[in-house]
Amino acid sequence: MADATITAYHDAQIGDDRLVCDILRDEIDCAFPDAVSRIWHAHPVWFLDGNPVVGYSRLKGGIRLLFWSGQSFAQPGLTVEGSFKAAEKRYVSPADIDRDQLRLWLAEARTIQWDYKNIVKRKGRLEWLGEGPPPS
C-alpha cells in the first residue's frame, strides 16, 4: 500500500469489511489511547512500549482480529493462531462483533503480554512481560 496509514488501510476496504475495521479501530483506540498504532506488515497494529498487542487484517472471508498474547487470556472466545501465544477472532459483519466481549479482551491485552518485541534477539523464545507469574 503506497500510503501506509490506518486511514488508508480502511479506505481500501469495502462493505462490511470496512465497517468491521471501523468498529475495531474505534474500540482499540478507546482501550489503548497511549498505544502507538501504525501499519505493520501491511496491517493496522497497536503497540505498547514497542511490543505488538493487537491488530487486524483482511483475510478471505472477513476480518481477523489478532491478539499477540491472546492464548494467555482468561476470557473465552479466541482461537489459537500460530505457534507462539497469539489468538484470533474473525468477523464477517459488524453484527458479529460482541463489543462487551471485545472490551474484555482489550482489557486483558493491556496486562497479559509476552515480549514479541525481542523475539528475534532471543532466537524465537518469548518472555513474560505481565505482572506476577505467566498464565499457564
Side-chain angles (χ1 to χ4, degrees):
M1 171 178 305
D3 183 6
T5 68
I6 294 174
T7 299
Y9 183 90
H10 283 231
D11 289 346
Q13 307 308 312
I14 58 171
D16 280 347
D17 288 346
R18 170 75 181 262
L19 297 172
V20 168
C21 288
D22 288 344
I23 292 168
L24 294 177
R25 182 182 191 179
D26 288 345
E27 292 290 338
I28 295 168
D29 280 344
C30 186
F32 292 103
D34 54 333
V36 172
S37 58
R38 68 177 193 264
I39 298 296
W40 190 50
H41 299 289
H43 309 290
V45 176
W46 281 254
F47 298 81
L48 292 174
D49 297 323
N51 198 45
V53 177
V54 62
Y56 48 86
S57 58
R58 186 188 180 293
L59 301 176
K60 185 176 181 179
I63 301 297
R64 174 180 63 182
L65 174 67
L66 183 73
F67 291 96
W68 268 255
S69 300
Q71 288 183 33
S72 298
F73 292 2
Q75 292 297 319
L78 296 173
T79 303
V80 170
E81 167 59 29
S83 58
F84 290 103
K85 300 289 184 181
E88 67 173 29
K89 179 70 175 178
R90 296 192 184 196
Y91 303 105
V92 176
S93 77
D96 296 337
I97 300 173
D98 178 337
R99 287 182 188 244
D100 292 333
Q101 182 70 66
L102 175 57
R103 289 172 185 154
L104 291 171
W105 291 327
L106 291 167
E108 283 193 290
R110 179 168 293 284
T111 59
I112 297 176
Q113 290 184 44
W114 292 90
D115 184 7
Y116 281 89
K117 178 173 70 173
N118 295 301
I119 195 169
V120 173
K121 180 173 82 174
R122 292 194 177 105
K123 298 179 170 72
R125 187 174 46 85
L126 286 174
E127 287 192 6
W128 174 242
L129 292 176
E131 296 177 11
S136 50

